[in-house]
Amino acid sequence: MSTNRQLINGIDVDALKQFAGTVADDPGNGMTQFQVTTDWLRGTQSSSSIKQLKLGEQTMERDFQILIDEPAELLGENLAANPQEYLMAALNACMVVGYVAAASLENIQLDQLRIQTEGTLDLRGFLGLDENIKPGYEELQYKVTVSGNGTPEQWQRIHETVTRTSPNRWNVANAIRLNSELIIE
């Protein structure tokens, strides 16, 4: 028995709808736990490893490494993107998933999707030189450029959906609780 799956923008729309239905029927199926472990290598270099993901009651093995460094001007060796660039990349990539999924659910074929994000940090905050300066961003700006066979109204609706539902956009736009534990060996 063969099944013809509808792929739009590389997304299996039927599988997406089925998964959403599974989560709607049992919210526990949508509980997802991510874990990243980061080890210092030397200087400004670190390596983050991803070994598993928990989705509902399933644990899936993963094996990914992410190298992080700073540019030479910020005392690094410029071997990889820095943490701020990864933060923006994670924000953009999460929103890309939202745009692709939402467009696919509306049967819109994408021709182009690009998100460009930028922000300015004042390193006096990071360096502890002025306690009145925040060590992070005051704001980030991002531009979404999209083309395909959708109408302007559809693109606006998709944009509003992604703005409302993207996990990383939400995490960056809202204060989240961070619980820390220091272990001294």
Side-chain angles (χ1 to χ4, degrees):
M1 178 163 121
S2 68
T3 60
N4 292 332
R5 294 301 221 170
Q6 181 182 15
L7 291 179
I8 302 174
N9 305 312
I11 299 291
D12 182 333
V13 175
D14 294 332
L16 176 58
K17 289 177 183 177
Q18 183 179 14
F19 179 70
T22 301
V23 173
D25 291 344
D26 181 356
N29 290 328
M31 298 305 296
T32 310
Q33 183 181 35
F34 299 94
Q35 182 184 44
V36 176
T37 302
T38 303
D39 293 301
W40 171 68
L41 300 176
R42 70 176 182 272
T44 62
Q45 293 174 25
S46 61
S47 177
S48 294
S49 60
I50 296 95
K51 297 295 181 191
Q52 67 180 17
L53 161 70
K54 188 171 182 183
L55 176 60
E57 294 299 317
Q58 275 186 297
T59 299
M60 292 156 274
E61 297 303 314
R62 318 253 298 151
D63 189 19
F64 298 101
Q65 295 292 124
I66 302 170
L67 181 64
I68 297 123
D69 195 9
E70 293 284 351
E73 297 78 6
L74 295 176
L75 308 175
E77 294 181 35
N78 202 36
L79 296 176
N82 78 6
Q84 298 311 309
E85 293 158 332
Y86 275 110
L87 173 71
M88 290 181 196
L91 171 65
N92 291 359
C94 188
M95 290 190 294
V96 161
V97 171
Y99 281 98
V100 172
S104 297
L105 285 171
E106 293 212 25
N107 201 27
I108 295 171
Q109 184 65 46
L110 286 164
D111 293 327
Q112 177 194 15
L113 173 59
R114 171 180 286 152
I115 301 175
Q116 182 178 2
T117 300
E118 63 182 45
T120 301
L121 282 176
D122 186 335
L123 291 178
R124 293 177 296 169
F126 167 73
L127 296 170
L129 300 175
D130 186 337
E131 63 185 37
N132 297 312
I133 307 251
K134 294 178 183 178
Y137 297 103
E138 289 288 333
E139 65 182 9
L140 293 175
Q141 299 83 33
Y142 69 94
K143 294 179 202 172
V144 180
T145 304
V146 65
S147 65
N149 65 352
T151 66
E153 294 78 19
Q154 287 175 307
W155 289 124
Q156 185 61 41
R157 186 170 54 249
I158 290 168
H159 179 70
E160 290 167 5
T161 297
V162 172
T163 299
R164 189 178 68 254
T165 63
S166 169
N168 280 1
R169 187 189 184 286
W170 193 94
N171 288 333
V172 169
N174 295 278
I176 59 173
R177 207 172 27 254
L178 293 174
N179 303 311
S180 69
E181 177 184 0
L182 174 64
I183 299 169
I184 300 172
E185 297 180 335

